Amino acid sequence: MIPFCPGPPDEPVPGAAGATVTDDRLLRRAAVCLLAVLGRRGYEITVRVQNGVVMLCGSVVTEELRLLAHRIAWSVPDVRDVSNRLAVDANR
């Protein structure tokens, strides 16, 4: 099960009065979530966000990790879509 990843604690709560979610905030949230779940195991994952769409680029060692990164990105509140461009490189 993927944990709920609300983002950094200093960020406004989505839906709160005056709170808007920008691409920069989504980028931080996605990065925090990916690090929290995957840790720093030598993956090469670059995260970009455009118009609420999280784009994952880079490589991982298994298809399972590629799918896990995709699910983690989708777990971030306010993400509109995920473009998973991660390649599987078993030789890493």
Side-chain angles (χ1 to χ4, degrees), residues 21-23 26 49-55 78-81:
V21 178
T22 64
D23 286 346
L26 285 178
V49 178
Q50 184 175 0
N51 298 322
V53 178
V54 175
M55 293 167 273
D78 300 310
V79 167
R80 293 179 51 217
D81 199 2

Side-chain angles (χ1 to χ4, degrees), residues 12-59:
V13 176
T20 59
V21 178
T22 64
D23 286 346
D24 288 339
R25 286 185 176 148
L26 285 178
L27 176 63
R28 282 194 302 271
R29 287 179 184 178
V32 165
C33 292
L34 286 164
L35 279 173
V37 177
L38 297 178
R40 297 177 186 255
R41 301 183 207 169
Y43 309 126
E44 292 183 22
I45 300 176
T46 301
V47 182
R48 293 188 178 100
V49 178
Q50 184 175 0
N51 298 322
V53 178
V54 175
M55 293 167 273
L56 303 174
C57 301
S59 63

Side-chain angles (χ1 to χ4, degrees), residues 11 26 29 64 81 88 92:
E11 206 171 87
L26 285 178
R29 287 179 184 178
E64 290 79 18
D81 199 2
V88 176
R92 292 197 61 219

